[in-house]
């Protein structure tokens, strides 16, 4: 089962109600119909679709949620941790595919993350106009974890970049 198939199977309100009734202990189509108030024919169709999607096991009289299939889907659909194995835990936590997923609240962790961004984005001693700094920082913000102006301000505050007359430089 894929996450897409799971979402499709549970997209219908009736099938969600049927699945919930089975999870809560209904073991037959008759019990499901009684608990959900749905017509028997709709329950049978819903159970068949849930069975086809891998959410329900058993025949009428022995219906149960397929917990093993749900666990496997949850395990298989986790986003890949594309970080390098030796990468700092702070970077593994706050970066996905080269983009920020958030900024740490703790200053020490935030500094580790900002130092990484500064090292990856700016050459030491090179002078950058503000537009170039913004352009270098925008890809880091693609996942919505922050915005480039906030990053620029933090880089200055942490003295990872200097700013003088609109020109930035990494020391």
């Amino acid at each position: 089962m894929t996450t897409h198939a799971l979402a499709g199977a549970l997209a219908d309100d009736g099938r969600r109600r049927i699945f919930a009734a089975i999870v809560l202990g209904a073991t037959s189509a008759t019990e499901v119909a009684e608990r959900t108030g749905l017509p028997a024919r709709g329950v049978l169709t819903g159970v068949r679709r849930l069975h086809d999607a891998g959410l329900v096991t058993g025949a009428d009289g022995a219906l149960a949620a397929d917990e093993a299939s749900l666990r496997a889907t949850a395990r298989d659909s986790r986003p890949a941790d594309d970080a390098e194995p030796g990468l700092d835990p702070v970077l593994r936590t706050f970066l996905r595919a080269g983009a920020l997923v958030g900024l740490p609240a703790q200053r020490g962790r935030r500094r580790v993350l900002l130092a990484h961004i500064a090292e990856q984005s700016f050459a030491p001693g090179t002078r950058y106009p503000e537009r170039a700094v913004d352009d270098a920082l925008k890809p880091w913000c693609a996942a919505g974890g922050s915005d480039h102006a906030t990053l620029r301000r933090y880089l200055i505050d942490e003295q990872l970049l200097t700013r003088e007359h609109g020109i930035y430089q990494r020391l």
Side-chain angles (χ1 to χ4, degrees):
M1 172 181 6
T2 65
T3 54
H4 184 71
L6 174 65
L10 295 174
D12 178 70
D13 181 55
R15 287 192 300 266
R16 279 193 308 274
R17 290 168 58 191
I18 292 167
F19 184 68
I22 293 169
V23 168
L24 294 173
T27 58
S28 70
T30 305
E31 285 182 42
V32 171
E34 289 172 2
R35 292 183 184 196
T36 62
L38 296 171
R41 182 178 179 142
V43 169
L44 291 173
T45 302
V47 167
R48 182 176 34 82
R49 289 193 177 171
L50 291 170
H51 185 274
D52 292 346
L55 289 169
V56 173
T57 61
D60 194 38
L63 296 173
D66 189 346
E67 295 177 15
S69 179
L70 286 169
R71 279 191 208 98
T73 300
R75 183 178 49 252
D76 295 343
S77 66
R78 286 187 188 142
D81 186 0
D82 56 359
E84 297 173 25
L87 203 57
D88 186 288
V90 172
L91 301 179
R92 282 197 314 261
T93 301
F94 293 98
L95 292 177
R96 289 288 178 274
L100 284 170
V101 293
L103 280 174
Q106 293 179 334
R107 184 173 181 254
R109 290 181 177 200
R110 190 172 49 241
R111 181 156 173 84
V112 168
L113 183 64
L114 292 168
H116 176 77
I117 291 171
E119 289 170 9
Q120 296 297 311
S121 302
F122 306 104
T126 303
R127 299 168 54 89
Y128 298 93
E130 188 167 312
R131 181 181 281 291
V133 172
D134 289 348
D135 290 343
L137 295 177
K138 284 180 183 177
W140 293 100
C141 304
S146 185
D147 62 90
H148 67 279
T150 300
L151 282 181
R152 188 180 65 226
R153 185 182 70 240
Y154 277 135
L155 288 167
I156 297 299
D157 290 348
E158 293 294 334
Q159 298 177 352
L160 295 166
L161 289 181
T162 61
R163 175 180 56 206
E164 188 174 323
H165 305 294
I167 301 296
Y168 296 75
Q169 185 175 357
R170 180 175 150 224
L171 302 176

